[in-house]
Amino acid sequence: MSAVTPAGAGPAPRRLGPFEVPAVGLGCMNLSHAYGAPPTPEAAERLLLTAVEEGVTHFDTAALYGFGANEELVGRVLAGHRDRIVLASKCGMTGVDGKRVIDGRPETIRRTADEALARLRTDVIDLYYLHRLDRKVPVEESVGAMAELVTAGKVRALGLSEVSAATLRRAHAVHPIAALQNEYSLWTRNPEEGTLAATRELGVALVAFSPLARGVLTDAPPDPPALPTGDIRRGMPRFDARHYPANLARRAELAKLAEEAGIGLAPLALAWVVSRGPHVVALPGTRSVGHLRENLSVLALDVPRDVLDAAGRVLDATTVHGPRYNEATLAEIDTERCGRAG
């Protein structure tokens, strides 16, 4: 099998609305949210500052993450580097009285934006997403309120998260959408049912969150029974006892493929994601400086097409076991479903 060429000829930079960013950014969620107890403030700060030193310019947070704590962290640590980064955050899904609430009403969006600006210690957010479609509010109304934020100079570009191609087109007709953030990885192929093509057609970046399959496609896959209380993977079917052993078997095949190619499993998974189109941006998250550097190594790799194609055959919508979310969560999400697993 062809060897990887570490010739610095990796994936080209990508457009994110008016900005140019590397093909791999940093999702900041797990520094404050969703994966059990967060790291210490000192460890989180070290991770963020190392990312800046290593050339990361695209940082992604949200009002939901830690119910504001993640925006506060990112704002405090990166305020001194504001002119070097593209800062993305999200509205439309926040914490209210300790519970996650989807609320896309214009008045809520305006209030959330002002709160985000204060926490982020900035006067403008570069890219502001509607985190989830509120099924009680037409997307045109939510995006219309976000467009007002652009007019007011509080936001530079707009995005959507976890929506379908049809919803993207409706929103794009109200105001240009710079980015669509959907889950996309070797084991989650929903964008291939519509949004991958629609974003390409409309000139919208497709920002792929969880490109490493919630940590499965790394050198340290999670052990579900050992996951801490509050880790969202405890409620994800792909990690339960019915499905996880089969998914680990597919991971083992991918690991063997990566080893034969002379590349780590995580860089292979990221290389596959960014190979899906020149408008696709990978957004892995990590708490480990070592994993951060490994993820960024893909920017200097030229992974042969036959290796990428083989990876895409080993794990896809037909070979993954279990849906990505339970039915209650899937009902909240507007994305297309695909494959036998949903």
Side-chain angles (χ1 to χ4, degrees), residues 100-305:
R100 179 178 62 85
V101 174
I102 296 174
D103 186 348
R105 292 175 297 171
E107 59 269 28
T108 303
I109 287 171
R110 288 189 286 265
R111 185 185 71 249
T112 304
D114 287 338
E115 293 168 350
L117 288 166
R119 287 192 290 255
L120 291 167
R121 304 189 186 190
T122 187
D123 58 359
V124 62
I125 299 169
D126 295 319
L127 175 59
Y128 206 40
Y129 290 93
L130 183 67
H131 203 160
R132 288 290 186 274
L133 176 68
D134 184 343
R135 297 190 183 278
K136 301 183 298 296
V137 180
V139 71
E140 291 84 355
E141 291 186 18
S142 297
V143 172
M146 296 169 71
E148 292 173 4
L149 298 174
V150 176
T151 301
K154 297 179 179 182
V155 169
R156 290 195 170 106
L158 301 185
L160 302 173
S161 178
E162 289 282 66
V163 303
S164 64
T167 299
L168 169 63
R169 293 182 189 279
R170 287 171 56 193
H172 196 70
V174 174
H175 187 280
I177 300 299
L180 171 60
Q181 186 171 144
N182 280 357
E183 184 173 356
Y184 194 26
S185 68
L186 283 162
W187 84 345
T188 295
R189 301 297 190 92
N190 303 68
E192 295 172 7
E193 298 299 309
T195 54
L196 181 63
T199 49
R200 182 188 300 113
E201 174 193 337
L202 297 173
V204 175
L206 178 62
V207 178
F209 76 83
S210 295
L212 297 176
R214 310 280 181 178
V216 173
L217 302 181
T218 70
D219 61 4
D223 176 18
L227 291 173
T229 301
D231 191 303
I232 60 173
R233 291 170 292 188
R234 282 183 168 271
M236 291 180 171
R238 290 178 182 176
F239 292 90
D240 69 29
R242 295 170 298 162
H243 301 301
Y244 197 53
N247 289 328
L248 282 183
R250 290 291 172 175
R251 178 201 172 277
E253 290 187 49
L254 283 171
K256 181 180 179 182
L257 177 66
E259 182 179 8
E260 292 173 349
I263 185 175
L265 177 56
L268 173 60
L270 291 172
W272 182 87
V273 169
V274 299
S275 77
R276 306 307 291 165
H279 66 304
V280 178
V281 180
L283 193 67
T286 185
R287 298 176 175 182
S288 162
V289 168
H291 287 163
L292 169 71
R293 290 180 172 137
E294 182 183 31
N295 293 345
L296 296 176
S297 72
V298 73
L299 297 174
L301 295 178
D302 184 12
V303 182
R305 172 52 58 182

Side-chain angles (χ1 to χ4, degrees), residues 16-59:
L16 199 60
F19 311 103
E20 184 176 88
V21 298
V24 177
L26 180 66
C28 301
M29 180 184 77
N30 65 5
L31 298 177
S32 308
H33 189 82
Y35 290 95
T40 65
E42 295 77 15
E45 179 173 346
R46 181 166 60 251
L47 188 284
L48 290 171
L49 292 178
T50 301
V52 173
E53 293 169 1
E54 295 291 329
V56 174
T57 61
H58 173 202
F59 292 82

